[in-house]
Amino acid sequence: MAPDPLFSDPLGAPTDPTLVEGPDGTWWLFATQRRVDDDGPGVTWVHGTDIAVATSDDGGLTWTHRGIVDGLDPGEGRNTLWAPEVVFAEGRFHMFVSYITGVPDRWPGHERHILHHVSDDLVTWEYCGVVPLSSDYVIDACVAPTETGYRMWFKDEAAGSTTWCADSDDLETWGPARPVIEGRPHEGPNVFTLGGWHWLIVDEWRGQAVYRSDDLSRWTPDGHILVEPRGHHADVVTTDDEAWIFYFTHDVSPFEATGAGEDPATRRAVVRVATARVVDGHLVCDPDEPVVLDLRRATRTR
């Protein structure tokens, strides 16, 4: 059985987790490492962040914190790294990470870009450049293979904080971006295949909104999961008949509590895991169900 919570880090706030199998079968968890004890003004505590990494050699039941990932910041001084997406494709590991110059003390007014790095071992990373997308205010990449190449889904804050996508043959050059899920603002898209359907989940800050598709292009709303406890920006690893959803939660949401984010206690976060299944064509997930976790059974591997 997986422990609850599954993982935290020494700074107390791993967010936006993503998981990938390493070259030797060890599993790696990458996450934004928020700075819960930062005493700067406004929301400096969610900026100036590094990417933390932990590994597990027992199928995901226990995790060893390995520190932060070096070599991701192409700029000078202290900058902001968010929401890593790590996939194995074209013979190498690829990381797509959100990037903001500096350590802003407020949310709006600062360009956000998605950077591309490559690695052979998940330790040493080579910077490839900025991914050209729909605006200069994009974050939260998710990448998955298609029948003809690869597709990236991402949040475009310049388009009402909605989900867009772009296609690539090789993860190096990208076609024009287009909207996927519009309407209510959201973030953190994640796409996976389970039970004969493609699924897209997005963080609406009231749980994960679920969408279903048979072609990765046309998406139909299919309710919400992880409403309580409120599951934020998630990653999904599938098996033959079920999926494990890795997400982060706060004991007290810093964006709902009085004096939002001013108390470090409200900033703390943990990574949790829940099991999802397809029942009668719908994605169902009970976060209170004990999770039998063994990533060695995963079908979404490198």
Side-chain angles (χ1 to χ4, degrees):
M1 296 295 179
D4 186 17
L6 184 71
F7 174 70
S8 185
D9 67 35
L11 293 188
T15 61
D16 319 321
T18 189
L19 289 87
V20 66
E21 185 186 11
D24 62 354
T26 298
W27 278 80
W28 295 59
L29 184 156
F30 296 84
T32 308
Q33 189 176 60
R34 289 182 177 173
R35 303 180 303 131
V36 298
D37 294 320
D38 177 74
D39 58 2
V43 290
T44 55
W45 64 279
V46 297
H47 295 100
T49 46
D50 293 303
I51 301 302
V53 61
T55 57
S56 174
D57 58 9
D58 63 0
L61 296 178
T62 58
W63 294 89
T64 300
H65 184 253
R66 297 173 62 111
I68 62 172
V69 183
D70 292 323
L72 297 182
D73 190 347
E76 298 181 356
R78 187 69 172 175
N79 299 296
T80 301
L81 296 160
W82 279 350
E85 165 76 335
V86 182
V87 297
F88 185 83
E90 303 293 312
R92 305 189 79 181
F93 293 99
H94 298 255
M95 179 186 292
F96 299 92
V97 63
S98 306
Y99 185 79
I100 300 172
T101 300
V103 187
D105 62 3
R106 65 202 68 190
W107 294 109
H110 308 281
E111 290 189 359
R112 296 138 158 77
H113 297 278
I114 292 175
L115 310 186
H116 180 202
H117 300 75
V118 293
S119 175
D120 294 317
D121 59 6
L122 294 173
V123 176
T124 302
W125 293 90
E126 174 188 347
Y127 176 55
C128 299
V130 176
V131 181
L133 295 169
S134 51
S135 81
D136 291 324
Y137 297 89
V138 295
I139 63 172
D140 296 354
C142 167
V143 174
T146 65
E147 292 183 356
T148 58
Y150 304 93
R151 183 164 298 163
M152 177 187 292
W153 292 263
F154 58 93
K155 174 188 179 182
D156 188 340
E157 296 187 348
S161 293
T162 54
T163 296
W164 288 54
C165 74
D167 292 333
S168 175
D169 293 331
D170 56 7
L171 296 177
E172 299 290 340
T173 58
W174 295 87
R178 58 194 184 277
V180 178
I181 304 295
E182 298 180 280
R184 182 186 178 96
H186 55 267
E187 64 185 8
N190 195 271
V191 173
F192 59 99
T193 301
L194 184 69
W197 294 93
H198 303 296
W199 302 95
L200 168 61
I201 58 175
V202 296
D203 181 2
E204 288 191 344
W205 311 290
R206 56 173 184 172
Q208 297 279 328
V210 179
Y211 295 83
R212 185 180 67 185
S213 174
D214 60 5
D215 63 1
L216 285 175
S217 294
R218 297 166 296 177
W219 296 94
T220 301
D222 194 54
H224 289 76
I225 60 173
L226 301 178
V227 175
E228 291 295 339
R230 190 160 303 172
H232 295 288
H233 194 140
D235 191 26
V236 180
V237 177
T238 59
T239 72
D240 289 333
D241 56 1
E242 62 185 18
W244 293 302
I245 300 181
F246 299 85
Y247 60 99
F248 79 91
T249 62
H250 297 280
D251 288 339
V252 180
S253 173
F255 309 115
E256 293 179 355
T258 300
E262 293 179 3
D263 180 0
T266 68
R267 303 173 181 177
R268 301 193 184 281
V270 295
V271 174
R272 306 181 70 182
V273 61
T275 302
R277 302 178 182 86
V278 177
V279 179
D280 297 329
H282 301 285
L283 190 71
V284 298
C285 177
D286 179 0
D288 294 323
E289 175 188 352
V291 177
V292 180
L293 178 64
D294 187 354
L295 289 168
R296 292 166 292 195
R297 295 198 295 114
T299 55
R300 194 212 76 176
T301 68
R302 66 181 190 88

